[in-house]
Amino acid sequence: MYRTRQEDLPFQGLSHNFVGADNGDVNISVFLLSAPPGRGPGPHRHPYDEVQFVREGRGAYVVNGVEFEATAGDILVIKAGEIHSFRAIGDAPLVQLDVHLSPRFIQENLT
């Protein structure tokens, strides 16, 4: 059993970062994201699947050129290699749990 707390994880950009290889040696990594309105990552991709759990707020997303809105309760499955970006919209922060199916984050930023 391995236990840690969110506030003990490294914070970078808009997220606390749970790196599986460094936290219990598991095969996932997780961004614990809280993005203020207007903020979010630009176009990027990963060589593995990602599952985004929208917990609070609203976001404007683009996945492989398709634009849509997602809100609290939505679960997005982004397949390996799909180019995606998103930003918080509205007056409240966008809170997500972004699960990367990899023990370390691998991200190719495209801007």
Side-chain angles (χ1 to χ4, degrees):
M1 206 286 296
Y2 179 86
R3 181 178 181 172
T4 191
R5 294 190 51 82
Q6 178 173 322
E7 59 264 21
D8 294 333
L9 298 172
F11 186 84
Q12 183 176 359
L14 303 170
S15 305
H16 282 94
N17 298 336
F18 177 92
V19 177
D22 299 336
N23 292 278
D25 195 27
V26 295
N27 289 322
I28 66 164
S29 294
V30 180
F31 286 129
L32 301 162
L33 176 109
S34 181
R39 298 282 308 276
H44 64 281
R45 63 182 160 205
H46 313 281
Y48 47 75
D49 295 342
E50 175 182 359
V51 183
Q52 297 180 341
F53 297 85
V54 182
R55 307 303 299 149
E56 298 176 25
R58 297 173 34 230
Y61 298 77
V62 179
V63 178
N64 281 344
V66 177
E67 298 180 32
F68 60 94
E69 183 177 318
T71 60
D74 285 333
I75 300 170
L76 311 175
V77 177
I78 299 167
K79 300 302 287 179
E82 290 187 319
I83 297 170
H84 57 287
S85 63
F86 59 89
R87 64 181 170 76
I89 57 175
D91 298 330
L94 174 64
V95 178
Q96 292 186 174
L97 184 75
D98 296 349
V99 179
H100 292 233
L101 301 180
S102 172
R104 296 198 181 277
F105 295 112
I106 303 168
Q107 180 167 311
E108 180 187 0
N109 293 318
L110 301 171
T111 56

